[in-house]
Amino acid sequence: MYKKTMSAMLAVGLVLSVGVASAQEPVQKPNAQAASAFDNKIIKKISSDNMYNTIAKLSAQPREAGTEGEWIGVQYIKSQFEQLGYETELQPFTFNEVVRGTGSLTVNGATLDPYVFSGSYSAEVTADIVHVGLAKSGEVPDEVRGKIALIERGEITFVEKIQNVLDKGAVGVIMYNNSGTSNRFGQANAGQNIPAVAITREQGLELVNQLKGGPVEATIKVEGSGFVEKTSYNVIAKMKPHKNKDTNQVVMIGAHHDSVAGGPGANDDASGVSAVLELARVMANMPTDTELRFVTFGAEEKGLLGSYHYAGSLSEEDADRIVAHFQMDMVGARDAGGRSSSRWINHVYN
Ligand SMILES: [Zn+2]
């Protein structure tokens, strides 16, 4: 890689480590001469006021993917790139937004107050219950066909469990917890067209007991639940290298612009966007031998959807040209670079 590509990469690294917060990876130290060049060309030009201004503008309203708030943020980011002279493009993509509705559960005439799975299919079904344990693949009995599957939570994801009983012809799902006293869990996928509700461990074990005495009939009713198609956007700004000194390589700098529902998302991730925009400003007239590509992604909070869509949209040739990507998430806080999210992800899906 050529020197100017390295200067772009190091500049990003230095902003992460010096300008905003701590870097995730230690930045390789440039030699003294190169370091002072970075200082003069990049670091000294970084304006924290600009960055705070971006954060204030973006966090004026929540920017949940697929909402008006995201659209306002996207328009702002696009206009900033364009003012800096970048060739800028909006890349729209659709996704299914999960909606959790309301529901009821009646078992042998007694009413339970279940928790409706996020995205559960909305329907009313009445059938006998069949206990299928953990509903692992290959372990679901054939007798669940046309019946409501009573499933224990744990070991595999909610979605896998629903799919395994759906494949065997079940018409509904009642899932009971594997510990504690809560019934608040569960998520279905789009296309899993049977209603699914959750109950407590105690309620589940009571049903298992009742089934030992003979057939138990249940009615599950779910309303206003399912998936709604929404549109989110990636914002892509490109700076072409000098045409006589083109490495044909690309360095990318990215952040996600969407926030969680109802949150201003100042740190997560207007801070990352502010770093992207400020680097775009500082580098706007910097001659390079490598294409710089600044991207803000949509629907990160819905499961990295924007970045998946972007990666999927690249031709193999274009993907091969990308030699580095710097992703800035929550760079505005002292704990930047933490690894706190993996435990949460496990909790949500199984
Ligand atoms: Zn984030």
Side-chain angles (χ1 to χ4, degrees), residues 170-247:
V171 297
V173 164
I174 302 170
M175 202 176 296
Y176 63 98
N177 213 337
N178 53 350
S179 65
T181 56
S182 171
N183 67 352
R184 297 178 66 83
F185 62 89
Q187 181 167 336
N189 256 5
Q192 295 188 315
N193 293 345
I194 54 174
V197 295
I199 57 175
T200 65
R201 177 155 191 83
E202 189 184 354
Q203 289 170 327
L205 294 177
E206 170 61 25
L207 287 182
V208 173
N209 236 342
Q210 281 184 39
L211 284 166
K212 287 174 187 160
V216 178
E217 189 184 71
T219 297
I220 305 173
K221 189 175 177 183
V222 171
E223 292 177 294
S225 201
F227 289 83
V228 180
E229 190 178 277
K230 298 218 169 163
T231 302
S232 179
Y233 300 86
N234 295 326
V235 189
I236 304 157
K238 291 178 183 174
M239 184 170 72
K240 296 290 183 194
H242 193 285
K243 58 178 181 293
N244 297 327
K245 290 181 185 166
D246 185 353
T247 62

Side-chain angles (χ1 to χ4, degrees), residues 256 258 268-269 300-301 329-330:
H256 71 90
D258 65 309
D268 190 10
D269 188 26
E300 187 268 359
E301 301 289 4
D329 200 90
M330 300 194 283

Side-chain angles (χ1 to χ4, degrees), residues 246-323:
D246 185 353
T247 62
N248 198 35
Q249 294 179 325
V250 178
V251 170
M252 291 186 55
I253 300 157
H256 71 90
H257 57 244
D258 65 309
S259 70
V260 295
N267 185 31
D268 190 10
D269 188 26
S271 67
V273 175
S274 79
V276 171
L277 286 179
E278 186 57 7
L279 283 165
R281 186 186 70 80
V282 168
M283 293 175 176
N285 297 308
M286 198 176 80
T288 68
D289 58 8
T290 297
E291 180 182 325
L292 293 179
R293 208 175 286 179
F294 299 90
V295 183
T296 73
F297 299 102
E300 187 268 359
E301 301 289 4
K302 308 288 184 191
L304 309 176
L305 304 182
S307 46
Y308 275 119
H309 180 81
Y310 180 76
S313 74
L314 296 171
S315 68
E316 207 164 309
E317 190 194 346
D318 203 17
D320 284 345
R321 293 170 58 218
I322 299 170
V323 294

Side-chain angles (χ1 to χ4, degrees), residues 8-337:
M9 291 177 62
L10 277 160
V12 176
L14 285 171
V15 168
L16 281 170
S17 63
V18 180
V20 186
S22 60
Q24 298 191 15
E25 305 284 340
V27 177
Q28 200 187 339
K29 287 267 192 311
N31 65 44
Q33 197 185 1
S36 80
F38 298 140
D39 265 13
N40 293 330
K41 279 188 181 159
I42 309 284
I43 298 302
K44 285 183 180 163
K45 292 182 182 165
I46 300 273
S47 157
S48 56
D49 284 350
N50 280 350
M51 295 173 71
Y52 277 110
N53 185 40
T54 298
I55 293 169
K57 284 229 163 68
L58 286 175
S59 46
Q61 71 279 311
R63 301 174 307 285
E64 185 184 9
T67 66
E68 180 66 17
E70 185 200 13
W71 178 244
I72 292 168
V74 159
Q75 293 292 96
Y76 176 75
I77 295 162
K78 179 168 177 272
S79 73
Q80 295 302 109
F81 281 135
E82 283 171 345
Q83 278 174 34
L84 295 168
Y86 286 93
E87 182 190 310
T88 308
E89 156 198 8
L90 288 190
Q91 183 183 51
F93 58 93
T94 58
F95 65 98
N96 284 319
E97 173 85 300
V98 65
V99 179
R100 203 178 71 79
T102 56
S104 62
L105 173 62
T106 312
V107 180
N108 275 353
T111 304
L112 283 78
D113 187 22
Y115 182 83
V116 174
F117 272 37
S118 292
S120 166
Y121 187 64
S122 290
E124 178 174 346
V125 294
T126 299
D128 282 351
I129 296 174
V130 175
H131 186 222
V132 300
L134 290 164
K136 289 193 204 165
S137 179
E139 294 178 9
V140 178
D142 290 336
E143 61 170 310
V144 84
R145 176 165 297 280
K147 305 283 169 51
I148 290 170
L150 176 64
I151 308 175
E152 184 177 9
R153 179 185 185 179
E155 294 194 31
I156 58 174
T157 66
F158 305 127
V159 165
E160 287 170 317
K161 287 171 189 278
I162 295 172
Q163 195 58 46
N164 290 342
V165 300
L166 194 55
D167 289 346
K168 287 282 188 172
V171 297
V173 164
I174 302 170
M175 202 176 296
Y176 63 98
N177 213 337
N178 53 350
S179 65
T181 56
S182 171
N183 67 352
R184 297 178 66 83
F185 62 89
Q187 181 167 336
N189 256 5
Q192 295 188 315
N193 293 345
I194 54 174
V197 295
I199 57 175
T200 65
R201 177 155 191 83
E202 189 184 354
Q203 289 170 327
L205 294 177
E206 170 61 25
L207 287 182
V208 173
N209 236 342
Q210 281 184 39
L211 284 166
K212 287 174 187 160
V216 178
E217 189 184 71
T219 297
I220 305 173
K221 189 175 177 183
V222 171
E223 292 177 294
S225 201
F227 289 83
V228 180
E229 190 178 277
K230 298 218 169 163
T231 302
S232 179
Y233 300 86
N234 295 326
V235 189
I236 304 157
K238 291 178 183 174
M239 184 170 72
K240 296 290 183 194
H242 193 285
K243 58 178 181 293
N244 297 327
K245 290 181 185 166
D246 185 353
T247 62
N248 198 35
Q249 294 179 325
V250 178
V251 170
M252 291 186 55
I253 300 157
H256 71 90
H257 57 244
D258 65 309
S259 70
V260 295
N267 185 31
D268 190 10
D269 188 26
S271 67
V273 175
S274 79
V276 171
L277 286 179
E278 186 57 7
L279 283 165
R281 186 186 70 80
V282 168
M283 293 175 176
N285 297 308
M286 198 176 80
T288 68
D289 58 8
T290 297
E291 180 182 325
L292 293 179
R293 208 175 286 179
F294 299 90
V295 183
T296 73
F297 299 102
E300 187 268 359
E301 301 289 4
K302 308 288 184 191
L304 309 176
L305 304 182
S307 46
Y308 275 119
H309 180 81
Y310 180 76
S313 74
L314 296 171
S315 68
E316 207 164 309
E317 190 194 346
D318 203 17
D320 284 345
R321 293 170 58 218
I322 299 170
V323 294
H325 176 94
F326 292 89
Q327 182 68 13
M328 303 201 224
D329 200 90
M330 300 194 283
V331 297
R334 201 166 49 170
D335 60 353

